[in-house]
Amino acid sequence: MSYTIGEVSKLTGLSVPTLRYYDKEGLIPNINRNENGLRDFTEQDLGTINIVTCIKGAGASIREIKEYMDLCKLGDSTLEARKQFFIEKKRDVEEQMKHLSEIMKTVEMKIKYYEDAIEAGTETIHRVK
């Protein structure tokens, strides 16, 4: 099965310009083109886009994603390097989660603060403390 760039945009939530940019940067290697020169995405391309989106969400730059995709093109000799890449991304995600956990604690504290103030009918009791 093949997909147009518009269909891929709808399936992935990425804009058409973003998909074109990813293609231009080599993040989605070997995209076929139809007889009219239009991109013709495959299921494999969708899988690649999913990985690119994941890596980007983990905080990787376009340059880092390109380096990873270049490693993929080199084949089995880069398996260890690709594993190390994901170990590093895992650390990055763990740091993001730690940061978000701290943000969540503050948000929950403020919710509790306002619940108490609403119950008391004022927040002045909190200011005195």
Side-chain angles (χ1 to χ4, degrees), residues 11-64:
L11 288 169
T12 63
L14 297 173
S15 70
V16 169
T18 296
L19 290 166
R20 287 185 180 130
Y21 177 71
Y22 284 2
D23 179 26
K24 184 184 108 202
E25 292 297 315
L27 305 186
I28 315 166
N30 307 317
I31 295 177
N32 295 321
R33 301 249 179 190
N34 66 20
E35 61 278 355
N36 297 321
L38 300 174
R39 291 168 185 87
D40 199 16
F41 293 84
T42 65
E43 292 288 334
Q44 185 174 349
D45 295 328
L46 290 175
T48 300
I49 292 166
N50 184 48
I51 293 298
V52 168
T53 302
C54 171
I55 297 169
K56 183 126 178 66
S61 67
I62 295 298
R63 181 187 56 75
E64 289 174 309

Side-chain angles (χ1 to χ4, degrees), residues 11-121:
L11 288 169
T12 63
L14 297 173
S15 70
V16 169
T18 296
L19 290 166
R20 287 185 180 130
Y21 177 71
Y22 284 2
D23 179 26
K24 184 184 108 202
E25 292 297 315
L27 305 186
I28 315 166
N30 307 317
I31 295 177
N32 295 321
R33 301 249 179 190
N34 66 20
E35 61 278 355
N36 297 321
L38 300 174
R39 291 168 185 87
D40 199 16
F41 293 84
T42 65
E43 292 288 334
Q44 185 174 349
D45 295 328
L46 290 175
T48 300
I49 292 166
N50 184 48
I51 293 298
V52 168
T53 302
C54 171
I55 297 169
K56 183 126 178 66
S61 67
I62 295 298
R63 181 187 56 75
E64 289 174 309
I65 299 168
K66 172 81 169 105
E67 288 171 3
Y68 170 77
M69 297 311 293
D70 289 344
L71 288 172
C72 290
K73 289 182 206 174
L74 293 173
D76 291 347
S77 65
T78 66
L79 289 172
E80 183 63 35
R82 288 184 272 161
K83 174 186 160 194
Q84 289 305 315
F85 176 85
F86 274 97
I87 288 171
E88 183 181 312
K89 292 303 126 207
K90 181 177 185 247
R91 280 190 218 115
D92 293 346
V93 170
E94 288 169 344
E95 281 298 313
Q96 290 174 21
M97 291 172 67
K98 182 179 173 186
H99 178 70
L100 287 171
S101 178
E102 292 301 316
I103 291 170
M104 181 61 82
K105 287 177 188 173
T106 300
V107 168
E108 288 172 341
M109 185 260 321
K110 291 305 282 185
I111 290 170
K112 176 73 172 124
Y113 170 88
Y114 286 111
E115 286 174 345
D116 290 349
I118 290 166
E119 185 177 320

